[in-house]
Structures are given as structure tokens and as C-alpha cells.
Amino acid sequence: MLSPSVEDYIKAIYKARSDKGTITTQDLADRLGVSAPAVSKMMRRLTELRLISHAPYQAVELTEAGEKMALEIIRHHRLLELYLVRAMGFTWDNVHEEAERLEHHISEEFEDRIDKLLGHPTACPHGDPIPTRAGAIARSSNRSLAVQREPERLMVQRVSDEDAALLRHFKSLGVIPGTAVEFVRQEPFEGPLVLRIGGRLVRITPQAAREVFVDPVSREDSRS
Ligand SMILES: [Zn+2]
Ligand SMILES: [Zn+2]
């Protein structure tokens, strides 16, 4: 793999912050598959470029310019994923890698044309919100299915898109963004979670459930 670019770092910082609230050098090293010293070096560069603010012993924050760059690249990524699925016949488990490469190379005009062609979509195939051209982004659920304990009707809002085998597994279970599921119970001793999806019972391991993010159905209803 080529060494991660400025854009990759900015996107990783943005995502780490929205997943976990804060970011450490080690988080970034893990996410990008590089050493901690390499991250530290890039942090200095990103600070010089005024894309982040990073005071010693303080959390890394994106500046306004950094945030804008992150949302731009995320917009490219998510539009490209949807384009690959809808227009080119890719399946949802093999568009993430492709979009990771293409996102750095498309022009603003290309982006606008894809957006128009797809009818100004609001989410990628995995349920992640697509930022607007102006840089607004809808809230997305951080509530993992894995922490569910009580019976409840839930809406699958998004799933993690990085593991192709896991995406194929979700598809086979029917765990797809926009699908209503009923959490029935978790089997004893940290066993699988039992869901009812379209009248049939489905079991999902706690490990897979960690990559599924849900909303209560009531909130989903009032929003639409
Ligand atoms: Zn992706
Ligand atoms: Zn996606």
C-alpha cells in the first residue's frame, strides 16, 4: 500500500472523532496501518497546513479547513460507493476498497454529475450519511446493536463497510440499513443475539452485532 496521504489522515481523524469522541496517536496508527512516529510526524505537517490543532497533551482537533476537507472526501467516497452499486453492478461488499482509491481523484464536476445521476442520495449503500456539497451531514447512529439487552423494535441505520465477508454475512441474515428488526433476546453466556426480521428468527454473534448501528423505531418514524 502507498503511504497514507494528507487526505487519508484527515478522514481517519474525522472518523475516529465521530466513532470515539477523542483520538490518540495510537488510534490513528492502527487505523492507517503505520507507526506511531510516522503519525507524529504527519501531525506536525497537518498542524503547519492548519488542518488540525494539536497542542501537546491535548486532543487532536480538526480546524474548519480540516473539517471541510474531511467532509469533501467522505462525500466523494459515499457517492462513489453508491454509483458503483447502482450504475455499475458492484455488490455492496466490494465497493469500499474501490471507493478508497477513487475518492482522491474525482473532480468537483464529476462529483456533481454522480450526485445528479443518482437523484441526490442521502446515504451510501451501508447507510452512512452523504455530506451535502456545502458540508452539512446528517447525524448517524453510534448505538451498537451489541449493547442491546431489552426487547425492542429497532431500525438498522448503518453497518460498518470495511469487512467484505462481514457484509456478505449481514446480507444473508437480512441485516441491511433501512430494515426494521425486533430484538428478542440474547442467549445466555454471551451467546448470539436473537432478532426477528420479516417474521423469521435470525441469530447474530455479539462480534458481528458490534458493527451494526441502530435507532429505536419510534425516533426513525418521527424523523421521516
Ligand atoms: Zn466505504
Ligand atoms: Zn459505505
Side-chain angles (χ1 to χ4, degrees):
M1 186 180 131
L2 295 170
S3 64
S5 65
V6 165
E7 289 179 345
D8 290 321
Y9 271 91
I10 292 298
K11 194 172 72 164
I13 292 167
Y14 181 92
K15 285 193 167 179
R17 200 194 44 186
S18 47
D19 289 352
K20 295 173 72 181
T22 59
I23 318 133
T24 64
T25 307
Q26 193 56 50
D27 283 339
L28 284 175
D30 294 344
R31 276 173 189 260
L32 293 161
V34 297
S35 67
V39 172
S40 302
K41 194 172 157 209
M42 183 57 113
M43 287 299 155
R44 287 194 293 275
R45 188 163 160 220
L46 296 177
T47 307
E48 281 163 21
L49 292 170
R50 298 181 194 277
L51 293 170
I52 63 167
S53 57
H54 186 206
Y57 308 106
Q58 300 274 303
V60 178
E61 284 296 338
L62 291 174
T63 62
E64 214 178 299
E67 175 119 1
K68 194 160 172 271
M69 179 186 275
L71 288 165
E72 177 72 36
I73 204 82
I74 288 169
R75 175 169 164 82
H76 287 180
H77 182 96
R78 294 179 182 167
L79 281 171
L80 282 162
E81 285 186 335
L82 197 64
Y83 180 76
L84 291 165
V85 167
R86 290 234 199 114
M88 297 186 73
F90 281 81
T91 52
W92 79 331
D93 54 305
N94 58 28
V95 292
H96 174 76
E97 284 302 317
E98 204 71 55
E100 286 283 283
R101 287 190 289 272
L102 294 170
E103 67 190 16
H104 306 291
H105 304 293
I106 66 171
S107 68
E108 295 312 283
E109 189 185 353
F110 194 100
E111 169 197 313
D112 283 346
R113 283 178 187 248
I114 288 187
D115 182 46
K116 193 173 170 204
L117 192 76
L118 296 173
H120 310 292
T122 57
C124 84
H126 316 101
D128 289 310
I130 298 174
T132 64
R133 204 178 196 291
I137 187 165
R139 99 170 234 297
S140 61
S141 171
N142 275 325
R143 177 175 160 185
S144 166
L145 178 61
V147 302
Q148 186 73 25
R149 293 292 174 268
E150 298 299 318
E152 189 175 356
R153 276 176 62 74
L154 302 165
M155 182 64 71
V156 178
Q157 204 212 29
R158 63 186 182 96
V159 298
S160 169
D161 68 356
E162 292 183 10
D163 183 335
L166 187 59
L167 284 170
R168 289 191 291 276
H169 181 58
F170 287 148
K171 185 123 205 172
S172 74
L173 295 176
V175 175
I176 293 165
T179 306
V181 305
E182 188 185 333
F183 179 87
V184 181
R185 64 174 183 278
Q186 180 173 22
E187 295 195 338
F189 304 107
E190 298 300 312
L193 284 66
V194 182
L195 307 174
R196 186 176 286 113
I197 305 177
R200 75 191 173 109
L201 289 180
V202 161
R203 284 174 171 71
I204 180 169
T205 64
Q207 193 195 358
R210 271 205 291 277
E211 307 300 328
V212 179
F213 299 88
V214 296
D215 270 331
V217 158
S218 52
R219 178 150 33 121
E220 189 70 25
D221 285 346
S222 61
R223 203 172 53 170
S224 58

